[in-house]
Amino acid sequence: MKKLVTLNNPRMAQAFIDYMASRKIDIQMMPEGEGQFALWLADAQHEIEVEAELKQFLANPSASKYSAASWDVADTRKSKFHYSSPSIMGMVKAKAGPVTLLIMAVCTVIYFLQMFGFGDGVFALLHFPAFEGQQWQLWRWISHALLHFSVTHIVFNLLWWWQLGGDIERRLSSGKLLQIFFISAALSGAGQFYVEGANFGGLSGVVYALLGYLWILGYRCPHLGLTLPKPIIGFMLVWLVLGYVQPFMAIANTAHLVGLLSGMAVALFDSGKQKYQQAS
C-alpha cells in the first residue's frame, strides 16, 4: 500500500474515496491522531492515475463529480467511514518487486543461519574469492553481498535496498535491478578485497550503487520519476565520508565508494539510451 495524503476533513476524504471507488480503485482511510486522516492506495499499479486525480480533487474538492460519486456508492457502503490499518507486508509488497523481495528473503535466511550455529560454514561458502581457484567459483563474486553480521547491519541495508531497489524495479524493470546488483556486487567486492582482504560482507556496496544510479539517472532523466530527494543523497554521502574518518566501527568503505561509482557509471550509460530519453 502507498500513502497518498493526510487530510483533516474525513468527509472530504470520503468523497475522494467514493469517487475512486466508482472507477474501481480502492482507497482506504485511517486516522493518524490529532484530527488527521491518511489516505492509502491499496494497489500501487494505479499510483500515477490516482495521484493525478488527487491533484485535481485537492484543487476543487466540491466539484459535482465527487459528490455524485458519494451518492452513487452510499447504498452499498456498509458504514459511513471505513478505517483500516495497512498491513506491514502489504506496504512492503506495494513498494517492492519480486527481485527486491527475493534478495531481502535470501539475506534474511542467510542471516538466521549465521546466527544459529552455521556462521563459519556460511561465510566459508559465500565470502569473496580469496584463495587460489576460488575466482572461478563465480557465485562468490556476488554472494558476499548477502552476508550480514548484526541486526543493525542487515536492517539498515535491507531498508535501503527496499527503498531504492524497489523504486528501480517498479519504474524500470526487474532485469535492470539485477544488472545493477550483479555489477556493483562484483566491483565493490573486488575493491574491498584489494584494500583489506576477504573478511567483509553485506549489501551496502550495492545500496550505494543504487544511490549512485538514482542520483545520476534522476538528474539526467527526471521524466522517469526516479529523482532522489537531496536530503537522502546528502545523508548517504555524509555517511560515506564518516565511514573513512570514524575509528569505532569496521565499515567496508571501499565497497561503498566503488559501489557508488559503479552505479553512477551504469546510470550515465543508461541515460544516453534512446528508450530512457524518450520515456515520459
Side-chain angles (χ1 to χ4, degrees):
M1 297 183 72
K2 176 179 174 58
K3 186 176 180 180
L4 297 170
V5 69
T6 300
L7 302 172
N8 60 8
N9 186 334
R11 292 182 180 275
M12 173 181 167
Q14 190 66 48
F16 183 71
I17 292 172
D18 292 341
Y19 177 72
M20 297 314 299
S22 71
R23 294 169 58 168
K24 310 301 183 186
I25 297 176
D26 183 22
I27 307 292
Q28 298 181 16
M29 176 165 54
M30 62 172 288
E32 292 203 329
E34 299 182 357
Q36 299 296 311
F37 298 84
L39 296 187
W40 291 80
L41 172 62
D43 190 342
Q45 69 174 324
H46 300 297
E47 179 180 347
I48 296 176
E49 177 184 355
V50 171
E51 288 184 344
E53 187 59 50
L54 179 61
K55 186 179 296 185
Q56 295 184 37
F57 173 76
L58 294 175
N60 185 17
S62 60
S64 59
K65 64 179 181 179
Y66 303 120
S67 56
S70 292
W71 282 108
D72 290 341
V73 302
D75 292 337
T76 60
R77 194 163 58 233
K78 292 182 179 179
S79 60
K80 194 162 189 178
F81 300 115
H82 174 65
Y83 305 132
S84 63
S85 299
S87 67
I88 293 177
M89 282 307 300
M91 289 188 289
V92 169
K93 290 179 180 179
K95 176 73 174 177
V99 171
T100 308
L101 295 173
L102 176 62
I103 295 298
M104 292 175 71
V106 171
C107 286
T108 302
V109 170
I110 289 174
Y111 177 73
F112 278 110
L113 288 174
Q114 291 175 268
M115 294 301 103
F116 289 99
F118 301 96
D120 291 342
V122 169
F123 184 80
L125 179 65
L126 301 182
H127 70 70
F128 191 84
F131 305 110
E132 185 65 30
Q134 287 186 344
Q135 67 270 26
W136 305 113
Q137 297 174 355
L138 299 183
W139 73 86
R140 292 185 180 275
W141 290 83
I142 61 169
S143 59
H144 62 89
L146 306 175
L147 296 166
H148 293 88
F149 308 112
S150 71
V151 172
T152 303
H153 191 203
I154 190 170
V155 169
F156 183 86
N157 281 346
L158 290 190
L159 282 175
W160 282 112
W161 165 261
W162 171 72
Q163 175 70 34
L164 304 178
D167 283 346
I168 291 172
E169 186 168 15
R170 286 174 57 245
R171 294 281 185 176
L172 300 180
S173 69
S174 297
K176 176 54 62 179
L177 181 59
L178 275 175
Q179 180 193 58
I180 298 170
F181 174 78
F182 286 132
I183 291 174
S184 61
L187 293 179
S188 64
Q192 187 64 32
F193 175 74
Y194 179 79
V195 173
E196 295 186 359
N199 191 30
F200 66 90
L203 203 59
S204 53
V206 176
V207 165
Y208 268 95
L210 300 178
L211 174 76
Y213 185 84
L214 290 171
W215 183 10
I216 298 302
L217 196 69
Y219 176 76
R220 292 173 63 89
C221 304
H223 52 273
L224 293 175
L226 286 169
T227 303
L228 278 179
K230 290 181 180 179
I232 289 181
I233 298 173
F235 170 80
M236 294 295 280
L237 293 180
V238 168
W239 185 259
L240 176 64
V241 173
L242 287 177
Y244 279 97
V245 299
Q246 60 80 34
F248 307 107
M249 295 183 290
I251 298 178
N253 298 307
T254 304
H256 295 176
L257 179 59
V258 174
L260 177 68
L261 295 175
S262 65
M264 294 172 72
V266 174
L268 282 171
F269 178 78
D270 283 352
S271 63
K273 293 180 179 178
Q274 188 176 24
K275 68 175 182 178
Y276 289 104
Q277 293 175 343
Q278 291 181 341
S280 58

